[in-house]
Amino acid sequence: MNDVLLDVEALVAGYRDPVVGPVSFRLHRGEILGLAGPNGSGKSTVLRALIGRARIFSGQVRRGDGPIATAVQAQRPVRLAEMPITGREYLRLMDAARQAPPPQLAGLLDLRLDQLSGGQFQLLHVWACLGSPADLVLLDEPDNNMDPKARATLIDVLHGTRLAGRGVLVVSHEHDLVETVCTRIVEVAA
């Protein structure tokens, strides 16, 4: 299991009651895996189960060998109404210096976070996860709040990310996104 970051077997997860499953997949190092399905099918619940924020009713979730650092981008990352720090400072606070930010994000780095649109902040937050030292990056609906230009930038950023022993799980109901950026797709039935 040395190249496997995440091994999910027959996972049934939810909150008070099960809402998804059984779901099975493996995420290997160097891979961008898509977890796709319609809204309400439980994709985000799978992600929350992986990080301990949803209940696992049955099945197993195993991490690969050794310590595996994880970065999570939520569907709606928290942003205060007033955030007097710049994008560059935000990335530094998020420890996102593993790789230099891609040129497409240059225009966001010197702006205050409270001056960014929702999609621009989402894009910066996705990069904070991808630029972190995490081995496992979990992206929940990463194109949420994005206009077509920001979404195109997201796709470019995901294509240009050097994985080098890392793995990315992209959760999305947008099939064209996962088909464009993922090496493999797992469907979650409604």
Side-chain angles (χ1 to χ4, degrees):
M1 226 172 105
N2 53 6
D3 80 323
V4 175
L5 286 167
L6 198 55
D7 184 10
V8 176
E9 186 179 327
L11 175 69
V12 175
Y15 304 95
R16 184 175 297 181
D17 297 308
V19 297
V20 64
V23 176
S24 298
F25 62 88
R26 280 188 172 177
L27 175 62
H28 299 267
R29 292 181 187 277
E31 179 177 42
I32 299 178
L33 176 69
L35 192 59
N39 282 331
S41 61
K43 302 175 306 295
S44 294
T45 301
V46 169
L47 191 139
R48 288 184 191 112
L50 299 177
I51 60 173
R53 294 217 171 120
R55 181 175 169 196
I56 296 175
F57 287 87
S58 63
Q60 291 188 330
V61 175
R62 292 183 296 273
R63 302 261 176 155
D65 299 330
I68 296 177
T70 304
V72 180
Q73 173 266 316
Q75 260 188 61
R76 293 174 189 84
V78 176
R79 180 170 61 155
L80 303 174
E82 288 193 35
M83 299 228 9
I85 62 171
T86 66
R88 190 177 316 280
E89 292 166 330
Y90 179 69
L91 293 178
R92 191 172 31 245
L93 288 170
M94 298 294 288
D95 194 23
R98 180 179 178 136
Q99 300 177 54
Q104 302 95 314
L105 299 184
L108 305 179
L109 298 178
D110 293 321
L111 296 175
R112 283 175 43 146
L113 295 185
D114 53 9
Q115 295 173 336
L116 301 177
S117 71
Q120 289 172 323
F121 180 70
Q122 182 87 346
L123 190 55
L124 196 63
H125 189 66
V126 167
W127 178 255
C129 294
L130 292 171
S132 77
D135 304 297
L136 174 62
V137 178
L138 307 174
L139 304 176
D140 193 2
E141 300 287 352
D143 61 344
N144 197 27
N145 294 317
M146 290 187 186
D147 64 18
K149 182 180 176 187
R151 191 170 191 271
T153 301
L154 170 70
I155 290 168
D156 287 347
V157 166
L158 285 167
H159 279 159
T161 299
R162 288 176 274 135
L163 294 178
R166 308 168 75 200
V168 179
L169 177 64
V170 177
V171 172
S172 182
H173 67 276
E174 300 285 349
H175 274 274
D176 64 320
L177 176 70
V178 292
E179 288 169 0
T180 302
V181 301
C182 297
T183 51
R184 197 165 46 92
I185 301 169
V186 174
E187 290 285 334
V188 177

